[in-house]
Amino acid sequence: MLEAAATALASIVVLGTGFGLGGFLYHKFYKWLVLYKMERAFKPGDPVLELAAIGKQIPTSIASTQGPDSEEDHWILRDEQSKIDAIVNGTDRGHYHLLIGEKGTGKSSMLLDAMHKVNGEGVSMFEAHADLEIFRIRLGKALDFEFHEDYIGSYFSERGPRDTTALLDIERAFNKLEKVALKRRRTVGRPLILIINCVHLLRDDDDGQDLIELLQQRAEQWAAANLVTMVFNSDDYWVYERLKKLATRMEVTSITDLPRSQAIAALSKYRQKYFREAPNLDILSEVYDRVGGRLTFLNRVAKSPDMLKTCDNIIDVERRWFLNQCWILGMEMDDDVMDQQKYASAAMVLAAALVAAESTQSASHDDGSHNIPQIPLHIARQIMTRADFIKSYDHINLFTITSTAFVRADSVPMQRAFRSICNEPGFDEHLEKTLQRIGDIESLGRTREVVAKDLVLGGKYKILLKDGERRGEKVTEVVLEEKEKEDDD
């Protein structure tokens, strides 16, 4: 019996010690593996660069070694590219950055070009999303972090480490990233670069604001310690408003349209290379006058056989987009669509104000570049008599709010669309009737009908006006006077 008991006890001790030691070693190995995988995510080469190279049909080996003047990858080189390069290669440190500008100005392309030059070493980039779970997954993919979902120890516990919210998972990922950045600062001496593209896709609600606050807190701490440089890329002004409240180390870079000289030179170079033609300077100037220096429009026009026709198509698309979103229905509109018509009429009033501003503001700068009429943000809200619509207009690319809080048309074609709509015969009367109809519906909604009933036979109502007890208001008193009863005598 003693021998059996000793054997059983020894077996229990050996098995318990083996399982305990094995579990401890696995836990230590897993924590090391998490940091190793995250370090590997910042090694040269990046999935974003692979996808960009495929999209541009550039061999990845060539794309990673191209210089800033490579004609295979660049046909327009912006002035801001040198600053973006300094941020991405780690030369510009001690700050975090917000790139703000309209859709199609080349913000993402400049970031990808800067990543190409360093072959993605020390840089990670991902797209933001309104859903926090999707944001968490994309962050995990960019950092090669599994959020403990592959931890075997969770099979033997009732509650695994993943049993939490998306926001806490993001905080855990940043804790691991901080450890990797500390090690890199000791060995390399340069900060890591984390680029979050399309930050404007986050919702401006409680969850989105909590996430932006978390990101900004980390960005401030890491910028002060030269650990990680975070770059936020946004098309909308509201992101700047949200970040500015707590910003101390944030730098804002506004990415605008190309000036006339660069746009015309780039168009001429592209047509000579790919179409073997030397376009007339008058045609190039006309192209710039119609679509401005927006890169996405210039790219579309440069690849078209008929450039002027493509310009007209771009203006027509912008015009129809504005009309489909904000056309007004006039005096005959139904009262069920009043909320939408408030939204549309406010946009039309602001568009008319921007067209009227063309007569008081210069149409071009000294170098001949477009000077789109603009109005201060607070004045624009006063003109619309609404303060909440402007962010939505900015989000759907009808108007834009610049980094200096001025409101203008989203692009040169959109301003031309405003002009053509507001100069149509009868537009002012149609807009005035729509506003009058909205006012009539609102007045009808504020009107209350009082119905008097159960009048005593032979009686009458007597209406008296007297001063109310509150704020000197006039109060109407209705008194029922019954018919006097006749004496039986």
Side-chain angles (χ1 to χ4, degrees), residues 110-257:
M110 287 194 293
L111 290 170
L112 289 174
D113 292 340
M115 291 176 65
H116 277 307
K117 294 172 185 176
V118 297
N119 196 19
E121 195 276 328
V123 186
S124 187
M125 179 179 180
F126 69 98
E127 302 282 333
H129 194 273
D131 190 282
L132 295 187
E133 284 290 344
I134 297 178
F135 187 95
R136 176 188 74 86
I137 292 174
R138 291 180 178 179
L139 174 63
K141 180 181 178 182
L143 301 180
D144 200 5
F145 181 55
E146 299 291 341
F147 300 100
H148 301 289
E149 293 173 347
D150 56 346
Y151 184 68
I152 298 178
S154 60
Y155 290 116
F156 307 100
S157 62
E158 295 182 359
R159 183 184 179 122
R162 174 61 190 96
D163 190 9
T164 181
T165 63
L167 205 61
L168 289 177
D169 269 347
I170 295 170
E171 176 70 12
R172 288 178 173 177
F174 285 157
N175 289 336
K176 298 296 182 182
L177 179 61
E178 190 172 276
K179 295 180 179 180
V180 174
L182 284 169
K183 181 179 178 181
R184 176 182 173 84
R185 188 178 65 176
R186 291 193 299 266
T187 57
V188 180
R190 295 195 308 273
L192 294 173
I193 312 298
L194 183 62
I195 302 172
I196 305 178
N197 201 21
C198 299
V199 183
H200 59 277
L201 295 181
L202 298 176
R203 294 191 183 97
D204 191 12
D205 56 9
D206 291 340
D207 290 338
Q209 292 171 13
D210 290 342
L211 177 57
I212 288 182
E213 182 179 347
L214 171 62
L215 296 174
Q216 187 175 18
Q217 285 179 337
R218 288 291 185 169
E220 291 278 354
Q221 296 170 2
W222 289 340
N226 288 329
L227 290 179
V228 181
T229 299
M230 296 188 69
V231 180
F232 302 102
N233 188 9
S234 172
D235 294 354
D236 293 352
Y237 175 79
W238 77 267
V239 177
Y240 167 73
E241 275 190 335
R242 186 63 55 186
L243 293 175
K244 190 178 185 301
K245 295 179 180 179
L246 303 176
T248 56
R249 293 181 175 270
M250 182 178 69
E251 285 193 0
V252 181
T253 303
S254 180
I255 310 298
T256 58
D257 294 346

